[in-house]
Amino acid sequence: MREILPALGAWYAAGVPFGLATVVGVSRSAPRDPGAAMAVGPGDEVVGSVSGGCVEGAVFELAQEVVASGEARLQTFGYSDEDAFAVGLTCGGEITLLVRPVTSATDPVFGEVAESVGAGRPVTVATVTDGPAVRGATLAVWPDRVAGTLGTEGLDVAVTADARGELALGATGLRHYGPHGERRDDSVTVFLHSFAPPPRMLVFGAIDYAAAVARIGDFLGYRVTVCDARPVFATPKRFPPGVEVVVDWPHRYLKGTGTDERTVICVLTHDPKFDVPLLEEALRRPAAYIGAMGSRRTHDERMKRLVDAGLTDRELARLCSPVGLDLGARTPEEVAVSVAAEIVALRWGGTGTPLTATAGAIHPH
């Protein structure tokens, strides 16, 4: 959704109706996660994707139908062994889509949401998908205000509380309530779609490996900052466009920079005068991942210095060092893939084991 919002915002501002299909539920090997979206706008223009191509043709027709009727629809696509030509997912999974018309009348807060997402301000959009409430009704929830309604005051209050909790976690998914927000009822289904700002990746050490890690971090959707105390190396021209480059002592920069549970910290300096004080600071603050480059010998010496600096076993256990998964990587680009693979595995609880050596679901619930 974040990727296609510029186009949707332009259509909305121009007063052009469009059909918006959003993945609100998945099971088994579904190709896209909840929140993935596709829209059909003026001149039958299509932006986005909900399945990677399997059901987009059918969704295109559904989007046209909801715009014509003005009524939202809930549609599930799965895999059919009985009819090889039926519309479905070749992966064997199942996705549920909410397809709704978007105009200033049906969704008066869409423009504000698009503006907030574009500016990097956090917002959660709650949309009724099923039950005794108006399907497609939306409520936008910011940390300090709300706009729109799902139909009843009680439902708005209950959903607002949950939406702010989900926003803090950057989480997206379905919640169930009664018609007036009752917690013990599940007759109304609401999709909470959180648009938290992109997580940060902080790369320390402006070496060739840092350029490759910054590039893949940007590709994965992180807001990347590279920091080095040496101005001759920390120059923007050595890094991809959009990557922030800072000249400062790493530990001093980190002390003045906010991090949270989604922040990734990559220490590529492998120089004790830089990385030891930096890791002292990093291992004592919130972060999703803290990795440090270096040989086994460098790692052992670094750990001794960190112990001498007073770090606890619990704090040291957070350090991924030597950085990356064992891929046999040699070049900076290969090492960057190794680091990115470790970050993804840690985020989703992956093992790093080849899928050919595993059994069961590829994406466990």
Side-chain angles (χ1 to χ4, degrees), residues 94-262:
E94 184 176 277
I95 60 172
T96 299
L97 305 177
L98 176 67
V99 189
R100 63 188 182 94
V102 178
T103 66
S104 58
T106 61
D107 192 347
V109 302
F110 187 89
E112 291 183 76
V113 170
E115 182 181 355
S116 292
V117 175
R121 294 190 295 269
V123 60
T124 293
V125 179
T127 309
V128 174
T129 65
D130 205 6
V134 178
R135 179 176 289 160
T138 58
L139 174 73
V141 180
W142 290 266
D144 58 350
R145 65 187 179 96
V146 299
T149 180
L150 302 181
T152 67
E153 182 180 357
L155 184 57
D156 288 347
V157 169
V159 171
T160 295
D162 288 346
R164 287 188 172 136
E166 299 291 81
L167 186 58
L169 298 173
T172 288
L174 294 171
R175 287 293 190 100
H176 303 278
Y177 308 87
H180 298 279
E182 299 90 339
R183 297 288 183 177
R184 295 186 177 182
D185 194 348
D186 61 358
S187 58
V188 177
T189 304
V190 178
F191 181 63
L192 300 181
H193 192 178
S194 296
F195 295 93
R200 296 198 67 185
M201 173 182 280
L202 305 177
V203 182
F204 295 96
I207 59 177
D208 289 345
Y209 292 94
V213 170
R215 189 175 300 112
I216 203 166
D218 180 66
F219 175 76
L220 289 175
Y222 287 93
R223 181 163 66 92
V224 183
T225 298
V226 176
C227 175
D228 198 300
R230 302 163 295 181
V232 68
F233 295 114
T235 60
K237 66 181 181 180
R238 300 185 64 230
F239 298 94
V243 170
E244 180 186 27
V245 180
V246 175
V247 179
D248 199 351
W249 278 81
H251 71 283
R252 185 169 61 189
Y253 173 76
L254 185 57
K255 282 184 178 180
T257 300
T259 63
D260 59 26
E261 287 74 12
R262 301 185 301 151

Side-chain angles (χ1 to χ4, degrees), residues 7-12 14-19 39-47 60 64 67 102:
L8 306 191
W11 294 343
Y12 188 85
V16 178
F18 58 90
V40 179
D44 293 339
E45 181 181 355
V46 176
V47 293
F60 175 83
Q64 291 179 315
V67 170
V102 178

